[in-house]
């Protein structure tokens, strides 16, 4: 709020920082302006000016806006050496005036009448008078251009002593459990006594506090310290005559020396069989800092055989290892474990193990988890138990076990197992062991539990079997319940029947989350992993789904599996058809394996004459030099004619005599016999026919050897001096007869012989036809056109056979 007067003129206007202001006219020549809530614009002030409408500025003023000067707070005076007083106060906020300083402070002592202008805004020194003045009355005056403020204080000098901070604080003679601290203080007056406070801290906590009265030098022995521990010692002092304030602290760190570990390691074991040998896995927990008394360098494991006295086996395990494995036999062993630092070993931890892995069957139970952990309890044992051990794994079952254990006293039958590694939905197994007086552990009970149960995470893989027209079987035997995030209490079997079919007995109607209706059956036995769905309709489509459930809920809703029931008679047909198919397969397999045998029995290969066994038989009985001759070297004995050409004529070699068809009543034979003069009878002849090449010849099962009649003298044919001439004549007559034989009727039969007449039989020809000889082996064959063959003898025929005489080699 401010006011101004101006000579009144009608054409004069006034402005505050360019904004016109209106005032109140007091008289003809004076106008007053009232300004409220003027804000701070700048440190140099706010401009207010007036001017005429048609002229320049008439004049103006600078308006300074500042904060209100505050009264000093917390005004106090004290001395550290009884020679200088130091007065301090809180000046409050700065007024912000441009004049420097914006406010000033003056210290006035009323008893001496002295005054001093303070150089600082919040403190000021005052020299103590040498006339031993003890009482002082100070007034602090604060002022600026606008106003003044003051505050006073009255005190006795000896009651306002604040000692200076001690110095030179050092430890000496530091041991494992004690140390001596020394320090110095500044003197006050004529060797005044000071009370000093010594504090000992570890991990920022005060564990010891001691008061010591000194004049110049301080010293104190600290005891009951922990070995190899870092401590902080600090000291502060106060004036003993009149306590006013403690001095500031001075601090110093130091470490105590190491000592031998004071406690035995906490040791546990795990027994298992590896390749038939008992293997002991030893575990131990690291000693706490309080009990280690220094840095653990290694652990000694001593193994002693209790059944067979022998030399002790000592193993040294470097730190920070916490386990080792021992392969033992069936004997009992006592194991000692000690921890070592630079000073010495710890007390030994003793445990006894035997070759028995300890897999005995014990009672199994469940434990419930809480926010604090698992509450595990067990039945108390007899009086020989020296303690109990609870063992568990921190991680899930599908991960490597991080073995944990807890040792408990003999009078304890319950405990709470807590761990930061416990997670909801994970099954944890606990084993409770009793420790006997012989330091041997025996398994007592097994417990399993969840910190918090969850719904099953997956569903079993269901296998359908035994499908009939009215039922099928579901099984999920491979489903592991221990890996689920909760105790499986049973299973729900969902079945979607065909449209219009009602749920069967023991099923209940339910609605799925997708609003579909199906039937549900509850299995309340978690060990039952098979279920038979019955009372179904033949040739119907059903859908099923199986899910487990815990105390929290059931597993996820997966897709349904479809199954179609067969008709009522399909299983009967299957029982008939399957054995038949099986038998056919067996027969086919046997035929395939015996194919070579069937071929030899049913359709053997055409034998090779050169590999015939008959030849070897003849050689052995008659002439060892006999052999199979080529066709060029052999004169055939007879030619069999089996066709009956209609109206055709057959010409004989040499005579050119023809016969009509009416003269033929059966196949004709043409015999080619030797021409020796002394030939008197038939020789033995073996004749073979190959019906494979001519089906028409199959009507005649044998070939005969008939004698040549005497009415047909040899000169009628003329001599053939060699087999080659015979073959040429046969070929020429065969070519001439092709014109006389109708096409398609020139059938051939193959006749072979093996043995020729003996020398004693060549003098005469046979008078009666011999019985035909059955063909037993194939040798050389000849293809003779039927037109070249002659008819066999008849009763009314004068010509019964034709003899070809030759002088060369021949066979019969």
């Amino acid at each position: 709020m401010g006011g101004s007067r101006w000579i009144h003129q009608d054409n004069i206007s006034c402005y505050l920082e360019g904004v016109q202001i209106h005032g109140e006219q007091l008289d003809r020549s004076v106008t007053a302006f009232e300004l409220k809530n003027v804000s701070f614009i700048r440190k140099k002030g706010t401009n207010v000016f007036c001017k005429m409408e048609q002229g320049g500025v008439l004049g103006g003023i600078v308006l300074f806006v500042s904060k209100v000067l505050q009264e000093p707070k917390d005004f106090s005076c004290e001395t550290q050496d009884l020679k200088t007083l130091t007065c301090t106060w809180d000046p409050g906020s700065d007024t912000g005036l441009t004049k420097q300083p914006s406010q000033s402070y003056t210290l006035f002592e009323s008893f001496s009448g002295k005054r001093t202008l303070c150089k600082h805004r919040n403190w000021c020194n005052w020299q103590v008078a040498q006339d031993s003045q003890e009482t002082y009355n100070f007034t602090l005056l604060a002022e600026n251009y606008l106003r003044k403020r003051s505050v006073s204080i009255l005190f006795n000098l000896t009651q306002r002593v604040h000692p200076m901070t001690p110095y030179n604080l050092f430890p000496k003679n530091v041991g494992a459990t004690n140390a001596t601290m020394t320090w110095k203080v500044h003197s006050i007056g004529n060797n005044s006594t000071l009370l000093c406070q010594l504090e000992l801290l570890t991990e920022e906590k005060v564990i010891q506090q001691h008061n010591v009265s000194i004049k110049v030098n301080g010293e104190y022995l600290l005891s009951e310290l922990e070995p190899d521990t870092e401590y902080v010692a600090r000291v502060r002092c106060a004036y003993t005559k009149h306590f006013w304030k403690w001095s500031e602290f001075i601090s110093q760190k130091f470490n105590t020396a190491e000592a031998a570990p004071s406690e035995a390691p906490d040791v546990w074991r795990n027994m298992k069989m590896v390749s038939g040998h008992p293997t002991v896995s030893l575990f131990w927990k690291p000693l706490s800092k309080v009990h280690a008394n220094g840095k653990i360098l290694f652990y000694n494991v001593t193994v002693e055989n209790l059944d067979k006295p022998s030399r002790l086996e000592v193993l040294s395990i470097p730190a920070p290892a916490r386990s080792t494995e021992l392969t033992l036999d069936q004997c009992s062993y006592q194991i000692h474990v000690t921890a070592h630092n630079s000073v010495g070993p710890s007390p030994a931890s003793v445990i006894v193990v035997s070759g028995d892995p300890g897999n005995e069957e014990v009672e199994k139970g469940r434990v419930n988890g809480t926010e604090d952990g698992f509450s595990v309890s067990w039945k108390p044992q007899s009086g020989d138990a020296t303690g109990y051990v609870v063992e568990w794994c921190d991680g899930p079952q599908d991960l490597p076990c991080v073995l944990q254990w807890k040792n408990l006293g003999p009078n304890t039958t319950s405990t709470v197992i807590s761990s930061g590694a416990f997670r909801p939905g994970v099954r944890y197994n606990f084993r409770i062991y009793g420790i006997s007086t012989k330091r041997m552990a025996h398994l007592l009970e097994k417990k399993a539990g969840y910190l918090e149960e969850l719904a099953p995470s997956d569903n079993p893989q269901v296998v359908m079997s035994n499908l009939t027209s009215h039922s099928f079987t579901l099984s999920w035997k491979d489903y592991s319940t221990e890996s689920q995030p909760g105790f499986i209490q049973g299973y729900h079997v969902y079945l979607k029947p065909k449209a219009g079919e009602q749920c069967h007995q023991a099923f209940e109607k339910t609605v799925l989350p997708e609003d579909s209706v199906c039937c549900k059956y509850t299995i309340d036995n978690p060990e039952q992993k098979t279920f038979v769905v019955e009372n179904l309709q033949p040739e119907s489509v059903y859908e099923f789904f199986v899910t487990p459930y815990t105390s929290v809920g059931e597993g996820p809703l997966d897709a349904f599996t479809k199954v179609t029931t067969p008709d009522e008679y399909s299983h009967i047909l299957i029982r008939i058809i399957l054995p038949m198919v099986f038998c056919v397969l067996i027969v086919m397999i046997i035929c395939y394996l015996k194919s070579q045998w069937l071929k030899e029995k049913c359709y053997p290969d055409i034998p090779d004459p050169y590999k015939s066994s008959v030849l070897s038989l003849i050689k052995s009985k008659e002439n060892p030099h006999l052999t199979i001759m080529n066709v060029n070297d052999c004169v055939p004995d007879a030619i069999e004619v089996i066709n009956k050409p209609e109206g055709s004529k057959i010409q004989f070699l040499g005579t050119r005599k023809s016969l009509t068809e009416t003269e033929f009543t059966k196949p004709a034979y043409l015999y080619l016999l030797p021409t020796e003069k002394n030939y008197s009878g038939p020789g033995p002849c073996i004749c073979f026919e190959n019906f494979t090449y001519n089906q028409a010849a199959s009507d005649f099962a044998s070939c005969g050897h008939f004698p040549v009649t005497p009415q047909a003298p040899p000169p009628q044919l003329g001599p053939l001096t060699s087999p080659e001439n015979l073959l040429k004549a046969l070929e020429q007559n065969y070519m001439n007869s092709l014109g006389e034989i109708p096409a398609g009727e020139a059938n051939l039969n193959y006749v072979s012989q093996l043995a020729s007449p003996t020398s004693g039989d060549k003098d005469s020809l046979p008078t009666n036809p011999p019985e035909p000889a059955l063909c037993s082996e194939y040798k050389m064959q000849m293809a003779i056109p039927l037109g070249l063959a002659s008819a066999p003898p008849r009763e009314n025929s004068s010509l019964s056979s034709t003899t070809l005489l030759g002088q060369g080699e021949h066979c019969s």
Side-chain angles (χ1 to χ4, degrees), residues 304-377:
E304 178 184 1
N305 193 327
L306 299 179
D307 298 335
K308 300 177 182 178
S310 59
R311 184 173 58 87
L312 299 180
E313 182 180 356
V314 180
L315 302 176
S316 183
I317 312 298
R322 302 182 185 179
S323 63
T324 187
E325 282 195 355
L326 303 174
T327 301
L328 307 176
D329 52 23
Q330 301 296 330
C331 298
S332 296
Y333 289 85
Q334 182 171 272
I335 302 173
H336 302 253
V337 180
T338 55
H340 295 251
N341 60 12
S342 60
V343 178
S346 69
S349 181
V350 181
I351 191 170
V352 177
V353 297
S354 64
D356 184 10
N359 294 325
E360 59 270 19
E361 291 295 328
V362 295
E363 181 181 352
K364 296 181 181 180
R366 293 183 180 181
V367 293
N368 297 321
T370 63
E371 294 181 356
D372 299 328
F374 292 93
S375 180
V376 182
S377 61

Side-chain angles (χ1 to χ4, degrees), residues 364 397 426-427 429 450 479-486 488:
K364 296 181 181 180
Q397 296 183 7
V426 178
R427 175 179 289 196
N429 296 314
Y450 294 84
Y479 186 66
S480 175
T481 58
E482 294 186 356
S483 61
Q484 295 303 312
I488 300 299

Side-chain angles (χ1 to χ4, degrees), residues 685-689 702-704 751-754 773-777:
C685 175
I686 299 176
C687 181
F688 300 90
E689 294 181 353
S702 61
C703 60
V751 180
S752 299
Q753 68 174 11
L754 179 64
L774 296 177
C775 301
S776 60
E777 185 70 15

Side-chain angles (χ1 to χ4, degrees), residues 284 296-300 315-323:
W284 55 83
I296 301 300
L297 302 178
F298 60 92
Y299 297 88
N300 273 353
L315 302 176
S316 183
I317 312 298
R322 302 182 185 179
S323 63

Side-chain angles (χ1 to χ4, degrees), residues 237-448:
C237 298
Y239 191 52
T240 305
K241 188 175 181 180
H242 295 284
F243 181 82
W244 166 244
K245 286 181 180 180
W246 288 107
S247 69
E248 300 297 326
F249 274 113
I250 180 174
S251 301
Q252 181 65 46
K253 293 181 179 180
F254 69 96
N255 280 77
T256 54
E258 291 189 357
S262 59
E263 188 172 294
D266 187 359
V267 179
W268 188 235
R269 92 293 180 274
N270 184 28
M271 300 285 296
K272 59 184 178 181
M273 300 295 291
V274 178
S275 300
H277 298 282
T279 300
V280 180
S281 297
L282 282 179
F283 303 91
W284 55 83
K285 295 179 181 179
L287 293 174
S288 65
K289 187 174 179 61
V290 175
H291 299 118
N293 296 337
K295 182 180 180 181
I296 301 300
L297 302 178
F298 60 92
Y299 297 88
N300 273 353
V301 179
T302 304
V303 182
E304 178 184 1
N305 193 327
L306 299 179
D307 298 335
K308 300 177 182 178
S310 59
R311 184 173 58 87
L312 299 180
E313 182 180 356
V314 180
L315 302 176
S316 183
I317 312 298
R322 302 182 185 179
S323 63
T324 187
E325 282 195 355
L326 303 174
T327 301
L328 307 176
D329 52 23
Q330 301 296 330
C331 298
S332 296
Y333 289 85
Q334 182 171 272
I335 302 173
H336 302 253
V337 180
T338 55
H340 295 251
N341 60 12
S342 60
V343 178
S346 69
S349 181
V350 181
I351 191 170
V352 177
V353 297
S354 64
D356 184 10
N359 294 325
E360 59 270 19
E361 291 295 328
V362 295
E363 181 181 352
K364 296 181 181 180
R366 293 183 180 181
V367 293
N368 297 321
T370 63
E371 294 181 356
D372 299 328
F374 292 93
S375 180
V376 182
S377 61
W378 56 92
K379 297 178 181 179
Q381 299 300 305
S382 58
D384 63 347
T386 61
Y388 299 95
V389 174
V390 180
E391 171 191 285
W392 74 94
C393 292
D394 257 354
Q397 296 183 7
D398 56 349
L399 296 179
C401 175
V402 181
L403 188 66
Q404 302 292 332
W405 68 94
K406 185 176 183 179
N407 275 301
L408 300 164
N411 298 324
T412 305
T413 58
S414 64
T415 185
V416 176
I417 305 297
S418 59
S419 173
F422 289 155
R423 296 288 182 268
V426 178
R427 175 179 289 196
Y428 296 98
N429 296 314
F430 300 91
R431 291 168 167 251
I432 298 96
Y433 292 85
I435 308 300
S436 66
T437 54
K438 296 182 180 180
R439 303 302 301 168
M440 186 171 291
H442 299 279
L443 181 62
L444 303 179
E445 296 181 27
K446 293 181 181 180
K447 305 283 186 179

